[in-house]
């Protein structure tokens, strides 16, 4: 949801597009010899796919990446031009629509090659495909034992005019863990599989394997293109690698709510479901109108941090579907005052990483899970 409003809202996720553009420029500086793919899957990690794609392109991104073809087709329908790649397919997917939209389509196995060739025949157009190698992630992609067949049949389809192989690519499993041996092993496997394909006659436009941690810390992985995801949104791929500030990045999303109630409470009052929190003495309680239906982790019950009235508070008791309570310790902010759940952190507010630590998860999940009931409010001090 794209909102541009100034009136108070129950809650809002402010999306700083100027910060996003600055992050794109910073990430490009880490890989100056490679093209840049802005990954906007999952509604741009919860930030809003279309505004983010447009902002990233304005900042110099040559490619846009999505997981599903439906995401990529929605961008095309909204007028986003240029190269868009999508990689998560199932049998019977919208292959023909994707071919006709001029998308780059990932192929991980023979079933997918057969379906994209059929779609190219039906449409009378040559499909652009990128072959994905499983170099050790064990997820999507073609394993080394099956790679010769996929390469051979892709070349046959290319000679017949049905496809053009525009890329060879893979994805890391452990690049966010400094020094993990799997990364070097995957890089070696990728070089070998690319070398085989090129030796057989494939001449790709782009070879790519670098995700956010690869882009930031492993220059030997940059090849022709890098694919930053979470780092583009100003979040470090992992605390072990460094903070956003270490990499010249700024978090893009700030999640806020308006206090729905402030009330005096006696000591011994059970708060929220199960009474897992009981007021230790007379105090004031504040009601924040956000809950797990909005993407606030229930696992943050009793631990989630919030900034209210310039002070850090903690979720008191369980996070409910639509709301949670904080113990204000006798302070009396006004109803309607702002509660900041997370943001860049430079104004004393918690960060998405703080919420990840409080919930036992990763910051990727914190921003991506913020639901559609929370309007996205776009700000861009640098100009849209």
């Amino acid at each position: 949801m794209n909102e541009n409003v100034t009136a108070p809202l129950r809650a809002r996720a402010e999306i700083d597009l100027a910060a996003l553009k600055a992050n794109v420029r910073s990430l490009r500086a880490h890989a100056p010899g490679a093209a840049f793919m802005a990954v906007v899957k999952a509604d741009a990690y919860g930030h809003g796919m279309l505004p983010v794609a447009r902002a990233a392109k304005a900042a110099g991104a040559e490619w846009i990446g999505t997981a599903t073809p439906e995401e990529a087709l929605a961008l095309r329908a909204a007028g986003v031009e240029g190269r868009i790649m999508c990689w998560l397919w199932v049998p019977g997917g919208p292959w023909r629509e994707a071919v006709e939209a001029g998308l780059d389509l990932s192929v991980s196995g023979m079933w997918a090659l057969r379906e994209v060739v059929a779609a190219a025949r039906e449409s009378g157009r040559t499909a652009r495909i990128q072959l994905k190698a499983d170099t050790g992630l064990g997820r999507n992609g073609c394993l080394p034992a099956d790679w010769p067949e996929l390469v051979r049949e892709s070349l046959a389809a290319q000679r017949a005019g049905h496809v053009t192989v525009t890329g060879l690519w893979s994805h890391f499993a452990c690049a966010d863990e400094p020094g993990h041996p799997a990364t070097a092993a995957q890089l070696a496997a990728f070089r070998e599989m690319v070398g085989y394909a090129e030796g057989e006659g494939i001449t790709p436009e782009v070879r790519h394997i670098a995700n956010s941690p690869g882009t930031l810390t492993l220059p030997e992985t940059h090849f022709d293109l890098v694919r930053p995801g979470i780092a583009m949104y100003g979040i470090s791929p992992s605390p072990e690698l460094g903070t956003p500030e270490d990499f010249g990045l700024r978090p893009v999303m700030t999640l806020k709510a308006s206090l729905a109630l402030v009330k005096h409470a006696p000591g011994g009052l059970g708060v929220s479901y199960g009474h897992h929190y009981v007021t230790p003495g007379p105090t004031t309680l504040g009601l924040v109108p956000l809950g797990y239906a909005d993407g606030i982790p229930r696992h943050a019950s009793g631990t989630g941090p919030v900034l209210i009235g310039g002070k850090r508070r903690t979720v008191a008791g369980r996070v409910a579907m639509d709301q949670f309570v904080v113990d204000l310790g006798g302070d009396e902010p006004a109803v309607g005052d702002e509660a900041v759940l997370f943001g860049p952190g430079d104004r004393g507010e918690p960060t998405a990483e703080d919420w990840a630590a409080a919930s036992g998860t990763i910051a990727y999940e914190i921003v991506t899970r913020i639901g559609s009931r929370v309007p996205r409010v776009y700000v861009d001090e640098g100009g849209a």
Side-chain angles (χ1 to χ4, degrees):
M1 183 185 299
N2 184 350
E3 297 281 351
N4 287 285
V5 295
T6 57
L9 296 171
R10 173 186 71 95
R12 67 173 70 190
E14 292 184 358
I15 309 300
D16 184 348
L17 294 178
L20 185 130
K21 292 175 186 176
N23 292 341
V24 170
R25 291 190 288 268
S26 180
L27 288 161
R28 285 176 62 86
H30 280 87
F36 188 97
M37 178 184 288
V39 178
V40 299
K41 63 179 181 174
D43 198 29
Y45 292 58
H47 293 68
M49 183 172 69
L50 183 57
V52 165
R54 287 172 171 163
K57 287 180 68 68
E62 298 93 342
W63 290 70
I64 300 295
T66 72
T68 71
E70 289 80 10
E71 292 169 327
L73 289 168
L75 289 172
R76 271 287 191 260
V80 176
E81 300 178 348
R83 303 299 285 274
I84 302 177
M85 180 181 171
C86 54
W87 48 77
L88 189 58
W89 288 87
V90 296
W95 294 98
R96 177 169 179 172
E97 294 93 327
V99 171
E100 292 174 347
L103 305 177
D104 283 69
L105 316 177
S106 181
V107 169
S108 292
M110 287 303 302
W111 75 265
L113 181 63
R114 287 190 289 269
E115 293 208 5
V116 75
V117 166
R121 286 174 172 152
E122 291 169 8
S123 66
R125 298 185 58 171
T126 300
R128 286 204 292 257
I129 67 170
Q130 299 206 16
L131 305 184
K132 184 173 186 183
D134 182 352
T135 56
L137 178 58
R139 206 172 62 178
N140 209 354
C142 181
L143 285 165
D146 301 319
W147 189 244
E149 180 188 20
L150 185 62
V151 167
R152 181 179 67 250
E153 295 303 319
S154 296
L155 280 167
Q158 183 167 273
R159 286 191 295 270
H162 301 312
V163 307
T164 298
V165 181
T166 62
L168 301 170
W169 74 293
S170 190
H171 194 56
F172 283 124
C174 304
D176 57 345
E177 300 179 42
H180 197 291
T183 302
Q186 281 195 256
L187 185 57
F190 184 59
R191 292 185 187 279
E192 183 175 345
M193 293 173 81
V194 166
Y196 176 85
E198 291 178 336
E200 293 297 303
I202 287 178
T203 55
E205 279 181 62
V206 288
R207 301 157 300 159
H208 51 108
I209 191 172
N211 52 3
S212 286
T215 302
L216 290 168
T217 66
L218 300 168
E220 67 273 22
T221 70
H222 291 172
F223 291 93
D224 307 302
L225 179 148
V226 294
R227 306 189 310 269
I230 196 66
M232 191 172 72
Y233 304 97
I235 295 173
S236 173
S238 74
E240 293 81 6
L241 289 178
T243 66
E245 293 79 10
D246 292 334
F247 298 119
L249 305 173
R250 180 174 176 80
V252 173
M253 181 188 291
T254 298
L255 182 63
K256 301 177 177 179
S258 299
L259 285 177
L261 182 67
V262 177
K263 64 185 179 184
H264 290 271
L269 179 68
V271 175
S272 195
Y273 292 121
H275 286 179
H276 291 273
Y277 182 81
V278 178
T279 57
T283 189
T284 46
L285 300 177
L287 185 66
V288 179
L290 282 167
Y292 58 77
D294 303 295
I296 307 306
R298 192 169 180 269
H299 282 304
S301 298
T303 59
V306 189
L307 184 72
I308 301 173
K311 295 182 182 179
R312 286 273 195 121
R313 321 285 183 170
T314 304
V315 175
R318 280 190 177 160
V319 174
M321 184 178 291
D322 312 299
Q323 55 201 280
F324 63 84
V325 176
V326 293
D327 189 332
L328 299 169
D331 291 344
E332 298 186 44
V335 174
D337 277 3
E338 188 174 83
V340 184
L341 280 74
F342 60 80
D346 52 8
R347 294 179 295 273
E349 77 276 16
T351 64
E353 188 61 52
D354 292 330
W355 272 84
S359 309
T361 185
I362 56 176
Y364 298 64
E365 184 178 355
I366 297 300
V367 293
T368 302
R369 68 186 294 158
I370 301 303
S372 60
R373 292 202 310 186
V374 180
R376 273 55 170 176
V377 179
Y378 293 94
V379 294
D380 186 356
E381 294 178 359

